[in-house]
């Protein structure tokens, strides 16, 4: 008697494809290792996601727009569907942009989504960087990732500038002329830089094509690389998290990447895309047909750059028109000095993590984020810089402030000049005082509990308010932060009475450390002994 075996059932096509890919790419092992990675959950962490999703939207809409845009400054006569411009001479760049707006299906909506997404991308990047700064999330091992984020923001600024210069309308042309004037102020090499950029005397015939290549190839390519590197480092270093019971420098408490975090991220992407689309559909931005094509002999009134370039323009607008003659050259200091201040400020922001690590002498890894109130000096610096930024935004739009609020443009300019030096100092002092006050309130809450609003009268006639004790998790949150001690330079003389020679750098470091963590810069945390004394009822209600 013979027996036969049934043939093996053939696996489904999807399973066969997965096996084929895994055998050649090792996807299963990679996914098994990384797809269950844990990410903490906090609303402020979504600011970086808004930046990422806005960048994706910029790329998607930008690809669509490149299909119809002609980056040429050759002159043509407009015969499109927008009647007020018919018969007007303009560049092919302006002509194609008008055609995208009125003759390409969905063109105007895509243009506006692209522009609004760029503004939201940089705004989200700005707020995201401030979140990282105020919580100390830039500390070791994330200094390099801070530099990547900083470069993304700076490159995003210049990508936006080259982008809104491409339509060759009167507004963007005025901005390009402003940039050309700033370049010309550079001593000795300014004229050469201008000639190389514009291919001759401004406006030349090449800058739209050159800006186009920079805008769609060079800068986005670098930014894509930086985004990938930024995300890889976030994945490798793990995400920071705020202090809470069970959270340490060596673990992460949160949700797995797959399926929970990915599902939330996917929904959040479409939410961001939908909100940007709604804004683009109802709020007109950059209506070039109402402004007209660029002509070198005309300047559009109320010409303002996008917000992220406004502070650099404010530097130049409020600077006195100083000029000096040196070695046969005219140095336009009224433009050149702001041109020097701008990159110096950006460089200070870039190197701040290394500066703080040097001041504190802290070389440990940090995965627990600070509460801004517990680092009052750092928080004061951040608030002062933001105030400085917005003061210069006022300077960059001094004509708009003057016309809309019926003010003197000279008064606004002098206000910005004075506020440039005064307001950041006042904001720094006020912010530190607020942080110290919040620290005192936290210490009181730990020792005495939360005010309940219930007033009781004691047998001897005294009125007291009943306080509700904090639970253990709340007390942990308010006392989990570290308190650094300022560095000391030691005695001026050694044990033999010989004067010690200290490097100037060490003296400076000690002074800065005292400014960060010395007396008046932090409130001592309540000790366990103090808490036991209070809760035992000795002298307090």
């Amino acid at each position: 008697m013979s027996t036969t075996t049934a043939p093996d059932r053939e696996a489904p096509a999807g399973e066969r494809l997965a096996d084929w890919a895994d055998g050649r790419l090792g996807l299963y092992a990679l996914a098994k290792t990384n797809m269950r990675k844990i990410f903490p959950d906090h609303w402020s962490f979504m600011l970086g996601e808004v930046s990422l999703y806005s960048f994706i939207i910029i790329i998607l809409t930008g690809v669509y727009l490149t299909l119809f845009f002609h980056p040429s400054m050759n002159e043509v006569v407009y015969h499109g569907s927008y009647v007020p411009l018919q018969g007007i001479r303009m560049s092919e760049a302006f002509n194609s942009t008008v055609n995208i707006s009125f003759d390409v299906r969905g063109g105007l909506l895509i243009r506006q989504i692209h522009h609004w997404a760029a503004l939201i991308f940089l705004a989200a990047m700005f707020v995201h960087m401030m979140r990282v700064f105020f919580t100390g999330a830039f500390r070791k091992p994330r200094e390099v990732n801070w530099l990547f984020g900083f470069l993304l923001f700076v490159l995003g600024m210049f990508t936006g500038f080259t982008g809104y210069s491409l339509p060759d309308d009167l507004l963007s042309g005025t901005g390009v002329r402003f940039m050309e004037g700033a370049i010309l102020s550079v001593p000795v090499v300014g004229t050469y830089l201008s000639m190389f950029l514009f291919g001759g005397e401004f406006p030349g015939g090449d800058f739209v094509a050159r800006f186009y290549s920079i805008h769609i190839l060079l800068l986005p390519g670098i930014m894509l690389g930086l985004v990938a590197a930024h995300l890889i480092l976030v994945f490798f270093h793990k995400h920071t998290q705020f202090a809470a019971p069970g959270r340490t420098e060596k673990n992460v408490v949160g949700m797995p990447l797959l399926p929970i975090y990915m599902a939330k991220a996917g929904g959040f992407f479409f939410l961001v895309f939908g909100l940007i689309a709604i804004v683009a559909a109802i709020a007109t931005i950059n209506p070039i047909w109402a402004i007209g094509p660029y002509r070198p002999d005309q300047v559009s009134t109320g010409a303002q750059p996008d917000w992220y370039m406004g502070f650099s323009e404010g530097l130049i607008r409020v600077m006195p028109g100083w000029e000096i003659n040196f070695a046969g050259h005219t140095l336009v200091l009224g433009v050149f000095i702001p041109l020097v201040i701008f990159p110096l400020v950006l460089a200070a922001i870039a190197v701040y993590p290394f500066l703080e690590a040097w001041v504190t002498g802290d070389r440990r890894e940090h995965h627990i984020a600070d509460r801004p109130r517990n680092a009052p000096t750092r928080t004061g610096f951040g608030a002062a810089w933001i105030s400085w930024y917005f003061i210069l935004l006022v300077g960059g739009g001094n004509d708009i402030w003057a016309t809309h609020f019926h003010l003197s443009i000279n008064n606004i300019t002098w206000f910005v000049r004075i506020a440039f030096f005064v307001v950041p100092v006042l904001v720094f002092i006020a912010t530190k005082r607020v942080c110290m006050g919040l620290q005192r309130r936290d210490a009181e809450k730990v020792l005495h509990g939360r005010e309940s609003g219930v007033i009781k009268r004691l047998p001897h006639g005294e009125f007291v308010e009943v306080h509700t004790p904090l639970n253990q998790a709340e007390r942990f949150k308010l006392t989990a932060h570290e308190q650094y001690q300022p560095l000391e330079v030691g005695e001026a003389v050694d044990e033999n009475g010989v004067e010690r020679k200290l490097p100037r750098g060490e003296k400076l470091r000690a002074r800065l450390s005292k400014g960060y963590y010395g007396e008046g810069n932090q409130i001592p945390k309540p000790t366990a002994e103090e808490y036991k004394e209070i809760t035992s009822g000795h002298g307090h209600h």
Side-chain angles (χ1 to χ4, degrees):
M1 180 177 179
S2 63
T3 59
T4 58
T5 58
D8 293 337
R9 182 180 61 84
E10 186 176 3
E15 186 176 334
R16 295 200 308 272
L17 178 61
D19 288 339
W20 182 89
D22 180 57
R24 289 152 182 81
L25 302 176
L27 296 178
Y28 177 76
L30 182 67
K32 184 178 180 180
T33 304
N34 297 305
M35 289 298 100
R36 299 295 293 176
K37 192 174 182 67
I38 301 299
F39 281 86
D41 190 20
H42 191 270
W43 67 267
S44 66
F45 299 157
M46 302 183 80
L47 296 170
E49 294 184 42
V50 175
S51 304
L52 176 63
Y53 301 152
S54 301
F55 183 69
I56 294 172
I57 294 166
I58 292 170
I59 298 297
L60 294 176
T61 54
V63 169
Y64 184 81
L65 294 174
T66 58
L67 302 176
F68 306 99
F69 182 72
H70 300 291
S72 170
M73 295 182 70
N74 295 331
E75 285 197 342
V76 296
V77 177
Y78 180 73
H79 296 294
S81 59
Y82 186 66
V83 176
L85 286 177
Q86 288 187 356
I88 301 295
R89 297 185 66 85
M90 59 186 63
S91 66
E92 287 187 354
F94 186 88
N95 180 67
S96 63
T97 309
V98 175
N99 287 335
I100 289 172
S101 302
F102 292 103
D103 300 310
V104 174
R105 185 177 296 276
L108 181 57
L109 178 63
I110 298 299
R111 260 196 71 217
Q112 302 218 142
I113 290 176
H114 189 72
H115 201 143
W116 276 113
L119 295 179
I120 292 172
F121 166 69
L122 283 158
M125 278 282 292
F126 180 86
V127 181
H128 175 60
M129 288 185 67
M130 289 299 99
R131 197 276 303 171
V132 171
F133 181 85
F134 286 126
T135 61
F138 54 76
R139 293 174 294 177
K140 183 182 178 180
R142 297 177 180 82
E143 303 98 329
V144 174
N145 223 8
W146 168 266
L147 291 178
F148 285 168
F150 167 79
L151 289 174
L152 275 169
F153 183 73
V154 174
L155 291 176
M157 290 168 54
F158 288 103
T159 306
F161 176 78
T162 54
Y164 71 63
S165 300
L166 292 179
D168 198 29
D169 60 292
L170 191 56
L171 178 62
S172 67
T174 302
V176 175
R177 187 59 186 261
F178 182 91
M179 182 198 71
E180 190 244 0
I183 292 174
L184 288 176
S185 71
V186 179
V188 183
V189 299
T191 52
Y192 295 98
L193 292 174
S194 177
M195 292 287 284
F196 290 149
L197 183 62
F198 295 101
E201 287 290 332
F202 180 85
D206 300 325
F207 90 83
V208 168
R210 294 180 180 184
F211 277 25
Y212 182 71
S213 299
I214 293 170
H215 180 71
I216 71 164
L217 291 175
L218 179 62
L219 295 180
I222 298 172
M223 291 176 71
L224 278 171
L226 288 172
V227 167
H230 188 76
L231 294 176
I232 289 171
L233 286 180
V234 169
F235 206 83
F236 176 72
H237 291 144
K238 67 190 179 183
H239 208 293
T240 57
Q241 56 188 346
F242 287 99
R247 299 178 183 178
T248 69
E249 298 283 4
K250 299 183 181 299
N251 70 357
V252 180
V253 178
M255 303 173 297
L257 178 64
L258 195 71
I260 299 174
Y261 192 83
M262 291 295 290
K264 290 181 65 176
F268 194 46
F269 168 76
F270 288 108
L271 177 63
V272 172
F273 203 154
L275 289 175
I276 292 176
I278 291 172
V279 172
I282 63 177
T284 300
I285 190 169
N286 198 21
I288 62 165
W289 56 87
I291 301 170
Y294 178 66
R295 285 182 49 176
D297 60 337
Q298 293 181 350
V299 176
S300 59
T301 58
Q304 304 294 314
D306 283 335
W307 71 268
Y308 49 87
M309 297 297 289
F311 79 105
S312 58
E313 180 158 335
L315 275 170
I316 294 178
R317 286 198 186 192
V318 303
M319 183 73 187
W322 295 341
E323 289 185 3
I324 61 172
N325 292 315
F326 178 76
H329 297 277
T330 300
L331 302 182
V332 187
L333 299 181
V335 179
F336 181 64
I337 289 178
L339 206 62
V340 172
I341 293 175
F342 177 58
L344 287 178
V345 171
L346 293 179
I349 297 170
V351 303
Y352 182 85
F354 305 96
L355 175 63
E356 184 172 306
W358 177 71
V359 171
T360 61
D362 188 355
R363 298 292 184 266
R364 298 168 301 163
E365 289 193 3
H366 291 274
H367 303 290
I368 299 295
D370 288 335
R371 299 176 78 205
R373 67 186 63 181
N374 294 326
T377 302
R378 180 203 300 151
T379 304
F381 279 136
W385 185 82
I386 292 173
S387 69
W388 183 79
Y389 190 99
F390 282 102
I391 286 293
L392 289 177
L393 279 183
V394 174
N398 56 2
D399 54 339
I400 300 296
W401 286 88
T403 55
H404 281 62
F405 295 98
H406 308 290
L407 301 171
S408 166
I409 194 169
N410 290 328
N411 291 342
I412 296 173
T413 301
W414 273 104
F415 165 77
V416 174
R417 287 175 180 174
I418 297 170
F420 177 86
F421 298 99
V422 175
V423 169
V425 176
L426 297 178
V427 169
F428 175 80
I429 295 171
T431 302
K432 281 192 66 175
R433 290 182 64 87
V434 170
C435 289
M436 299 293 287
L438 292 173
Q439 285 187 38
R440 290 189 185 92
R441 190 184 71 171
D442 287 347
E444 288 293 319
K445 287 170 68 175
V446 169
L447 293 175
H448 303 288
R450 185 178 290 106
E451 296 177 356
S452 65
V454 177
I455 306 296
K456 285 190 175 182
R457 185 179 182 182
L458 300 182
H460 59 277
E462 180 184 2
F463 288 92
V464 296
E465 182 180 16
V466 178
H467 285 216
T468 304
L470 302 182
N471 59 40
Q472 188 174 2
E474 291 174 318
R475 291 198 305 271
F476 180 87
K477 176 182 176 181
L478 299 183
T479 58
H481 59 282
E482 292 188 64
Q483 292 197 308
Y484 293 93
Q485 295 299 319
L487 300 176
E488 300 290 344
V489 295
E491 298 294 335
V493 295
D494 60 17
E495 64 275 6
N496 299 319
V498 179
E499 184 178 354
R500 298 172 59 226
K501 291 185 178 180
L502 294 172
R504 291 184 179 179
E506 286 301 312
K507 293 181 179 179
L508 174 62
R509 184 183 179 191
R511 292 194 189 99
L512 291 175
S513 179
K514 187 176 180 180
Y516 266 73
Y517 305 115
E519 185 178 355
N521 289 282
Q522 55 186 352
I523 302 299
K525 293 191 297 184
T527 64
E529 291 74 18
E530 289 177 318
Y531 179 75
K532 289 178 181 177
E533 182 181 358
I534 293 295
T535 53
S536 64
H538 292 219
H540 293 80
H541 303 291

